């Protein structure tokens, strides 16, 4: 009987799966916790998948790794098993609802900063095997300004920043962008405004954020969209079922769906550098 790891290896090496596919790296982050970042990451991934794109969600939250909890699929293995050399990359990939692939973080990312050169090389080599395996890898980072989060953002080609209309969320999101800019890193930031009362509030929040970023940081940050405040989101969390599965017709799910459509439309105009560029930048930042 073929196990999950064998099936994944067969998939990545099949003739059709690697035909000129470039795996795109996207980091999803926020300035503070509690703004719905992980929920967005998960349901955004499913929206992309529903449009025929293969996606892997990588839980890169050092302190509160919870993608497996939101999926209702306890992870048998996580990143720490890879870092210790106990499991291969194929063995730590888990399968959630709808066939969504994910890697649980656990406490593994805290160990990344203490890796030896040999261990970092092994980690990079294993992650590099994902090239061509999926269209998108979404790194769901921790909220705030941890060293690990900053390094993942700096290594990525683009970063989606999730905020809400709440003043503290906006202030912290701006602080995150400012820190990356001050450090000399300028990934392509894109903005999501979550939990808006209506489109007017979302647009006003986004416009204010963009104006300040342009005036004081010289950054033009596009807005991918707005997600309505929706009680169904919390209901889905309590069920440990993705919103896209539990309440596909909810206003929040529709909002995320629109964001996925816009994102893919804009992606057609870009030429991704792929996984190798991300890994090269990551090794420089962690060495």
């Amino acid at each position: 009987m073929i196990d999950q790891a064998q099936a994944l290896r067969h998939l990545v090496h099949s003739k059709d799966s690697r035909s000129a596919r470039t795996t795109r790296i996207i980091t999803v982050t926020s300035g503070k916790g509690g703004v719905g970042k992980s929920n967005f990451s998960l349901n955004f991934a499913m929206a992309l998948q529903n449009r025929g794109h293969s996606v892997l969600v990588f839980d890169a939250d050092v302190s509160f790794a919870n993608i497996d909890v939101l999926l209702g699929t306890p992870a048998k293995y996580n990143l720490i098993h890879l870092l210790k050399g106990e499991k291969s990359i194929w063995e730590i990939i888990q399968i959630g609802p709808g066939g969504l692939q994910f890697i649980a973080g656990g406490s593994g990312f805290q160990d990344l900063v203490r890796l030896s050169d040999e261990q970092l090389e092994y980690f990079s080599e294993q992650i590099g095997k994902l090239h061509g395996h999926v269209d998108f890898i979404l790194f769901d980072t921790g909220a705030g300004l941890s060293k690990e989060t900053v390094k993942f953002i700096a290594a990525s080609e683009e970063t989606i920043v999730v905020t809400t209309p709440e003043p503290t969320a906006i202030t912290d999101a701006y602080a995150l962008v400012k820190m990356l800019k001050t450090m000399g890193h300028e990934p392509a930031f894109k903005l999501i405004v979550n939990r808006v009362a209506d489109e007017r509030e979302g647009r006003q929040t986004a416009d204010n954020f963009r104006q300040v970023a342009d005036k004081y940081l010289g950054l033009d940050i596009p807005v991918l969209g707005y997600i309505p405040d929706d009680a169904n989101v919390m209901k889905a969390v309590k069920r440990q079922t993705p919103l896209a599965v539990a309440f596909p017709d909810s206003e929040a799910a529709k909002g995320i769906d629109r964001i996925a459509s816009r994102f893919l439309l804009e992606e057609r105009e870009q030429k991704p550098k792929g996984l190798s560029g991300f890994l090269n930048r990551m090794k420089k930042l962690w060495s």
Side-chain angles (χ1 to χ4, degrees):
M1 182 176 179
I2 298 176
D3 63 16
Q4 177 178 303
Q6 289 176 308
L8 288 167
R9 281 195 295 270
H10 174 75
L11 176 63
V12 76
H13 290 297
S14 67
K15 182 178 179 180
D16 293 334
S17 71
R18 296 183 66 90
S19 56
R21 173 186 281 171
T22 298
T23 299
R24 192 169 190 90
I25 307 299
I26 305 163
T27 298
V28 182
T29 193
S30 62
K32 67 184 292 291
V35 300
K37 171 186 57 63
S38 293
N39 255 308
F40 169 77
S41 297
L42 174 59
N43 289 285
F44 179 63
M46 299 197 77
L48 293 176
Q49 187 168 274
N50 289 340
R51 284 166 170 73
H53 296 276
S54 53
V55 186
L56 171 69
V57 179
F58 207 128
D59 194 341
D61 190 333
V62 173
S63 302
F64 301 104
N66 62 358
I67 288 294
D68 57 331
V69 176
L70 293 174
L71 282 166
T73 308
K76 188 175 181 180
Y77 305 115
N78 57 40
L79 179 63
I80 195 66
H81 294 96
L82 177 69
L83 296 180
K84 288 183 176 180
E86 298 172 355
K87 297 294 176 182
S88 71
I89 188 66
W90 307 117
E91 292 172 306
I92 67 169
I93 294 177
Q94 311 292 302
I95 306 297
L100 181 68
Q101 299 175 61
F102 71 97
I103 293 176
S107 60
F109 277 95
Q110 290 175 319
D111 294 328
L112 273 176
V113 296
R114 295 187 290 271
L115 292 184
S116 66
D117 290 341
E118 291 75 17
Q119 289 174 315
L120 182 58
E121 191 63 37
Y122 173 73
F123 171 77
S124 299
E125 182 236 337
Q126 287 291 304
I127 299 299
K129 292 181 179 181
L130 296 175
H131 171 69
H133 174 59
V134 289
D135 297 310
F136 299 100
I137 297 178
L138 266 62
F139 283 98
D140 179 47
T141 74
L145 301 172
S146 73
K147 291 184 292 185
E148 294 82 9
T149 294
V150 168
K151 287 176 180 179
F152 263 93
I153 295 173
S156 299
E157 285 185 65
E158 57 190 311
T159 296
I160 296 176
V161 181
V162 181
T163 188
T164 69
E166 183 185 334
T168 55
I170 299 168
T171 301
D172 289 346
Y174 176 78
L176 177 69
V177 173
K178 181 180 179 180
M179 171 177 276
L180 267 295
K181 170 73 173 181
T182 302
M183 293 173 66
H185 306 301
E186 294 187 35
F189 289 108
K190 296 179 181 179
L191 186 67
I192 298 291
V193 186
N194 192 22
R195 297 178 186 161
V196 302
D198 49 39
E199 185 174 346
R200 180 182 178 183
E201 182 180 51
R203 191 177 300 277
Q204 184 176 25
T205 301
D207 287 347
N208 290 341
F209 189 95
R210 293 191 69 206
Q211 288 171 12
V212 173
D214 180 47
K215 181 177 181 180
Y216 294 103
L217 302 178
L219 294 177
D220 179 19
I221 301 180
V223 181
L224 279 178
Y226 321 104
I227 305 171
D229 194 10
D230 189 337
N232 288 308
V233 174
M234 188 52 64
K235 291 179 183 178
V237 170
K238 290 179 179 179
R239 292 187 185 185
Q240 290 185 274
T241 304
L243 180 70
V245 174
F247 304 102
D249 296 322
S250 64
E251 291 304 311
K254 290 177 182 178
I256 295 172
D257 206 53
R258 288 191 294 270
I259 289 170
S261 293
R262 181 168 184 175
F263 174 82
L264 290 173
L265 186 63
E266 294 181 359
E267 286 294 296
R268 295 175 188 171
E269 303 173 2
Q270 301 183 32
K271 293 183 179 180
K273 298 177 183 177
L275 188 54
S276 60
F278 168 79
L279 290 173
N280 288 334
R281 290 188 294 272
M282 189 192 72
K283 284 193 286 186
K284 290 178 181 178
L285 289 163
W286 253 287
S287 61

